[in-house]
């Protein structure tokens, strides 16, 4: 049974979808005024792990992740650059979709843009007006939080600190500024993006966007809502207020928030010069799968200290894992299964699942994988690995990788037929005790980037790591 820590209750709760089979999941997407930074990607990777693990557990997943393509930040940036809002947000949406592929993030089933859901937002404001939760001031429409006594239940702020009638117009503000927030913003500047609607000219507040898009695709009550911890207040608190005030129903069943990513122990900030986009890291030559590995190696509810050494260590770990896969694939063993190995596998599978079931403890889940790798690697060398073990291990790692997504496609790595023929020729040479020829072939292969290792499970090959990467496929760094 999967247990998730629910920010709303503060408790670990057993997860079951409302309808018993499909997990309906909304995650707040990128505000598309710039490239995503690695802090954003920590949250997106953790949501990706959640959606992949839900599928592993046999649920169907309906995942909506929006693009915030109109808010204070996008409007300000478009104005600074002297381009239209659409031009700006198209550019960063395309970049984000690219970055998602680079990090092996699965594509959510629905990726709505806020600007394409203005009618839904207007309808939501009208429902709130009808139910008496709003008031108007200078053309803008505000949510009256004093009318919603449960305000503060997610972020645990105490509503008595709220100053009645005090308003806030900006999308982002601090807890000290708990005030009536804006649902619909009347234009203040002549060049401000606006929509002519029944509410008058204007644009939606950021919080309204997510309520309208999530309920449109997932229903008025849905299973899981995710985002980084910085969204708990005011964004998610306001989403709850607007949605529940409008529908009279619980909005979200499980709130799941990812802790911050810190850089070298400090808050990541442009002003500190420790602010990295994914692209910055790729330019420094880091393997994107190692970045993904580093991001997911710490459980999502624990702050993650991002360091370059951490990514380098992840690169080495991944190289070892790939090495291990090749060893198991290439090893030749006796038919059947070795009960001791079958035991190692059963234990790893149990530990992996127990760790993930416990609020997605990825650190422990990886621990289970590495323990198995250590024990099976020894069995390969000693010749204890049998044929059925090999397939069962590869199969399990394939399943685990459907959740972790750090190993790419696990397919047999093809070896150049010419090199393959040389390995076979060497085996024949060894069989007739022509060790001079066997050594010569070993040298030849080494020059071609292949290292041989004779084990009791046969001769294994792997690629040298000290050679430059080939432009496509094959070699690994
Ligand atoms: P934004 O584009 O600012 O709306 O952020 C997109 C997502 O990234 C949200 O879920 C944020 O909570 C999350 N996020 C922003 N900064 C960080 C950070 N340093 N660590 C983890 N998540 C973050
Ligand atoms: Zn949101």
């Amino acid at each position: 049974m999967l247990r998730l820590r629910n920010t709303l209750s503060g408790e670990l709760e057993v997860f079951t979808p409302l309808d018993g089979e499909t997990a309906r999941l909304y995650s707040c997407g990128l505000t598309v005024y710039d490239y995503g930074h690695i802090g954003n990607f920590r949250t997106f990777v953790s949501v990706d792990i959640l959606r992949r693990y839900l599928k592993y557990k046999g649920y169907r997943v309906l995942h909506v992740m929006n693009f915030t393509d109109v808010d204070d930040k996008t409007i300000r940036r478009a104005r600074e650059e002297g381009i239209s809002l659409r031009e700006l947000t198209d550019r960063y949406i395309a970049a984000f979709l690219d970055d998602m592929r680079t990090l092996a993030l699965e594509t959510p089933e629905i990726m709505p843009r806020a600007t394409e859901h203005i009618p839904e937002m207007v309808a939501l404001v009208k429902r709130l007006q009808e139910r008496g939760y709003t008031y108007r001031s200078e053309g803008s429409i505000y949510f009256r939080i004093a009318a919603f006594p449960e305000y503060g239940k997610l972020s645990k702020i105490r509503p008595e600190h709220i100053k009645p009638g005090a308003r806030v117009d900006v999308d982002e503000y601090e807890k000290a500024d708990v005030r009536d927030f804006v649902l619909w913003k009347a234009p203040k500047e002549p060049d401000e993006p606006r929509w002519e609607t029944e509410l008058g000219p204007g644009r939606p507040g950021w919080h309204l966007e997510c309520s309208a898009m999530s309920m449109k695709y997932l229903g008025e009550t849905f299973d899981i809502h995710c985002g980084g911890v910085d969204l708990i207040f005011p964004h998610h608190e306001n989403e709850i207020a607007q949605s529940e005030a409008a529908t009279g129903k619980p909005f979200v069943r499980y709130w799941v928030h990812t802790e911050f990513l810190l850089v070298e122990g400090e808050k990541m900030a442009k002003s500190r010069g420790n602010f990295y986009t994914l692209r910055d890291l790729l330019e420094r030559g880091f393997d994107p799968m190692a970045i993904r590995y580093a991001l997911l190696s710490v459980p999502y509810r624990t702050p993650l200290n991002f360091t370059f050494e951490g990514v380098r260590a992840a690169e080495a770990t991944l190289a070892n894992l790939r090495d291990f896969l090749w060893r198991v694939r290439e090893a030749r063993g006796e038919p059947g299964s070795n009960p001791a190995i079958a035991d190692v596998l059963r234990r790893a599978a149990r530990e992996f699942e127990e760790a993930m079931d416990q609020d997605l403890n990825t650190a422990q889940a990886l621990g289970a994988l590495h323990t198995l790798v250590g024990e099976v690697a020894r069995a390969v060398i000693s010749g204890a690995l049998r044929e059925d073990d090999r397939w069962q291990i590869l199969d399990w790692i394939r399943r685990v990788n459907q959740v972790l997504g750090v190993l790419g496609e696990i397919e047999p790595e093809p070896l150049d037929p010419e090199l393959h023929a040389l390995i076979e020729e060497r085996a024949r040479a060894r069989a007739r005790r022509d060790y001079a020829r066997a050594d010569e072939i070993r040298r030849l292969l080494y020059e071609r980037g292949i290292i041989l290792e004779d084990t009791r499970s046969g001769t294994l090959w792997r690629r040298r790591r000290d050679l430059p990467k080939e432009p496509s496929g094959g070699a690994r760094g």
Side-chain angles (χ1 to χ4, degrees):
M1 274 189 305
L2 168 60
R3 285 184 169 78
L4 294 173
R5 188 164 299 280
N6 188 345
T7 310
L8 192 60
S9 65
E11 307 282 329
L12 268 186
E13 295 177 16
V14 172
F15 174 76
T16 45
L18 194 56
D19 74 358
E21 53 182 57
T22 301
R24 288 180 166 73
L25 164 68
Y26 185 88
S27 53
C28 291
L30 193 69
T31 307
V32 280
Y33 72 111
D34 206 338
Y35 297 111
H37 57 68
I38 49 166
N40 300 136
F41 285 111
R42 178 187 195 194
T43 293
F44 296 134
V45 166
S46 69
V47 174
D48 187 58
I49 295 288
L50 170 60
R51 65 163 278 143
R52 286 164 173 264
Y53 193 61
L54 287 165
K55 291 199 288 187
Y56 175 100
K57 296 293 275 184
Y59 298 119
R60 267 204 288 263
V61 170
L62 179 57
H63 177 191
V64 179
M65 178 165 75
N66 72 296
F67 289 111
T68 302
D69 66 346
V70 54
D71 79 322
D72 297 347
K73 289 193 273 195
T74 44
I75 291 172
R76 196 183 316 123
R77 183 64 62 88
R79 185 178 297 145
E80 281 164 11
E81 293 199 18
I83 56 177
S84 72
L85 186 63
R86 185 76 190 198
E87 211 178 319
L88 179 91
T89 56
D90 276 352
R91 181 204 298 162
Y92 291 113
I93 286 175
F96 180 71
L97 294 173
D98 250 21
D99 289 350
M100 282 186 76
R101 278 186 288 275
T102 304
L103 280 181
L105 294 168
E106 289 188 346
T107 311
E109 283 64 28
I110 304 173
M111 299 185 84
R113 291 175 76 133
T115 52
E116 290 169 3
H117 295 76
I118 302 294
E120 288 83 351
M121 295 168 201
V122 170
L124 187 56
V125 174
K126 287 178 67 183
R127 277 173 92 176
L128 289 168
Q129 285 178 323
E130 282 156 21
R131 292 178 147 237
Y133 285 98
T134 68
Y135 61 93
R136 217 178 246 281
S137 172
E138 293 171 29
S140 292
I141 303 172
Y142 296 87
F143 185 92
R144 188 193 311 276
I145 54 183
F148 186 73
E150 290 176 52
Y151 193 87
K153 64 182 173 183
L154 182 72
S155 59
K156 322 296 180 215
I157 55 150
R158 303 233 301 282
E160 56 262 37
H161 297 311
I162 298 168
K163 303 171 222 119
R167 293 182 289 277
V168 51
D169 280 304
V170 291
D171 285 331
E172 291 180 87
Y173 52 91
E174 302 295 318
K175 280 191 191 179
D177 279 328
V178 180
R179 281 183 265 173
D180 292 344
F181 61 90
V182 71
L183 296 165
W184 187 256
K185 296 196 204 200
K188 293 208 169 99
E189 327 249 346
D191 64 341
E192 212 175 307
R194 73 189 64 189
W195 282 263
E196 297 296 336
T197 72
E198 290 172 65
L199 304 174
R203 62 177 170 100
W206 170 38
H207 318 299
L208 181 72
E209 298 176 7
C210 284
S211 286
M213 289 185 280
S214 58
M215 290 197 289
K216 168 169 181 168
Y217 294 106
L218 300 173
E220 294 181 345
T221 300
F222 61 90
D223 294 311
I224 309 177
H225 196 314
C226 308
V229 286
D230 56 326
L231 299 190
I232 296 174
F233 185 87
H235 187 50
H236 290 162
E237 195 67 65
N238 292 353
E239 279 190 46
I240 292 177
Q242 301 157 153
S243 308
E244 299 192 351
T247 67
K249 296 176 194 161
F251 174 45
V252 168
R253 302 173 62 233
Y254 306 84
W255 286 92
V256 174
H257 290 104
T258 304
E259 257 299 338
F260 264 131
L261 174 132
L262 308 170
V263 175
E264 313 275 351
E266 288 187 60
K267 185 164 184 278
M268 187 170 62
K270 274 192 175 138
S271 55
R272 292 178 205 235
N274 65 354
F275 181 94
Y276 301 106
T277 64
L278 176 63
R279 283 140 197 261
D280 294 335
L281 297 179
L282 298 180
E283 264 168 40
R284 285 169 183 255
F286 289 114
D287 170 0
M289 286 302 96
I291 298 169
R292 181 180 165 100
Y293 187 101
L295 291 178
L296 67 78
S297 61
V298 171
Y300 76 95
R301 290 252 179 201
T302 309
L304 163 62
N305 189 27
F306 184 89
T307 63
F308 291 146
E309 289 86 276
V311 187
R312 275 188 213 105
E315 281 181 347
T317 305
L318 281 179
N320 281 336
L321 279 175
R322 291 178 194 133
D323 215 77
F324 171 77
L325 286 174
W326 284 311
R327 281 164 176 268
V328 173
R329 194 179 302 123
E330 294 290 307
R332 290 292 164 265
E334 287 171 27
S337 162
N338 178 339
I341 303 283
D343 228 42
V344 166
L345 183 56
R346 258 196 306 277
R347 199 174 58 234
R350 195 183 56 236
E351 285 174 5
F352 177 84
E353 214 165 311
E354 279 172 3
M356 292 301 287
D357 276 349
Q358 192 70 3
D359 202 25
L360 310 173
N361 191 330
T362 44
Q364 269 181 30
L366 287 171
L369 172 63
H370 292 307
T371 305
L372 170 118
V373 166
E375 295 188 19
V376 173
R378 277 194 294 280
V380 171
I381 292 168
S382 70
L385 196 68
R386 301 205 189 135
E387 279 305 293
D388 292 352
D389 302 329
R390 296 198 308 126
W391 297 116
Q392 277 162 14
I393 288 163
L394 289 174
D395 222 55
W396 181 69
I397 292 184
R398 206 172 282 125
R399 246 167 84 67
V400 161
N401 190 49
Q402 275 166 9
V403 178
L404 302 174
V406 289
L407 289 166
E409 282 289 301
I410 302 179
E411 290 300 328
E413 197 203 22
L415 186 63
D416 189 324
E418 192 194 336
L419 301 183
H420 193 72
L422 277 171
I423 293 177
E424 290 190 334
E425 190 193 331
R426 178 170 170 276
R428 287 193 297 274
R430 272 160 53 93
R432 61 172 193 272
R433 295 171 190 277
D434 181 354
Y435 295 116
R437 177 63 184 153
D439 285 347
E440 190 187 343
I441 292 175
R442 178 194 284 281
R443 256 194 319 278
L444 263 172
L445 285 166
Y446 185 81
E447 279 158 19
R448 304 279 303 268
I450 300 296
I451 294 176
L452 298 183
E453 187 183 344
D454 297 314
T455 72
R456 292 174 67 177
S457 306
T459 297
L460 308 180
W461 63 270
R462 62 194 160 88
R463 295 189 197 274
R464 276 168 63 188
R465 289 215 198 106
D466 52 346
L467 291 178
K469 282 181 189 163
E470 281 168 18
S472 64
R476 56 209 149 90

